[in-house]
Amino acid sequence: MTDTKPVDIADEALTVLAEAGGIAAIMGVDPANLRIGVDLAKARRSAGALGEALGLYATLALMDMNEPDYQLGLADVAFEMGEYALCVQAACCYVAQRPMRPEGYFLSGAACLALGQIAEAREDLEDALRYAKEQRNAKIFERADRLIKILDETAN
């Protein structure tokens, strides 16, 4: 009998899941059929049911690990709920798949700031600022710039 710990088994299961691209791939579900879940998550969020929206985005992210928008939705709702560590994790998954987009960097930077991880926050917010400027995304540019200015003011 081997001495396998539950954590080792869970790590192995996650590795298999990631290699397959998510539960949907393992089960043979067409990822296009999951898109209705996004509409449902958005509706629940609009209705103020943030916990339900978070659960839906988390499920979608596990079902199709190759769809970065699920990670972005998860990060966004997690931030709104004050689940900053989860926000950082999901935002980092988004950044890994869309490294030239500012949204993931902004959410990760804002969540790091909320967690008191100042150096990480500054790095992500500066990346968000740079990519937002390149893509002419004024909304994220202004928000990232505002947070960087707050960081600068508190550092002095």
Side-chain angles (χ1 to χ4, degrees):
M1 183 170 177
T2 61
D3 222 8
T4 307
K5 298 178 183 168
V7 172
D8 295 335
I9 295 170
D11 285 346
E12 181 63 25
L14 285 174
T15 299
V16 169
L17 185 60
E19 287 171 355
I23 295 170
I26 292 171
M27 295 175 60
V29 175
D30 182 353
N33 292 332
L34 301 175
R35 297 301 303 172
I36 193 165
V38 174
D39 295 335
L40 183 56
K42 287 178 181 178
R44 298 311 304 144
R45 183 180 188 176
S46 294
L50 296 179
E52 290 178 32
L54 185 79
L56 285 164
Y57 278 119
T59 300
L60 289 167
L62 287 171
M63 289 295 288
D64 185 359
M65 294 176 153
N66 295 319
E67 177 50 64
D69 290 338
Y70 300 159
Q71 296 290 346
L72 186 63
L74 178 59
D76 198 26
V77 174
F79 185 86
E80 189 173 348
M81 291 182 68
E83 297 290 341
Y84 302 120
L86 177 58
C87 175
V88 170
Q89 291 173 344
C92 287
C93 289
Y94 180 82
V95 166
Q97 292 180 310
R98 298 247 172 101
M100 306 297 279
R101 300 285 309 166
E103 298 88 353
Y105 294 105
F106 175 75
L107 282 167
S108 178
C112 283
L113 185 59
L115 291 168
Q117 300 169 348
I118 304 305
E120 295 86 349
R122 180 177 295 281
E123 181 181 342
D124 284 346
L125 290 170
E126 287 173 352
D127 286 339
L129 196 63
R130 178 171 37 117
Y131 291 121
K133 182 177 181 180
E134 287 176 8
Q135 296 172 19
R136 294 183 175 94
N137 186 326
K139 183 178 176 181
I140 290 181
F141 184 88
E142 290 168 9
R143 289 178 178 178
D145 188 50
R146 187 174 347 135
L147 292 179
I148 289 172
K149 286 177 181 171
I150 290 168
L151 283 172
D152 290 342
E153 290 171 7
T154 58
N156 296 329

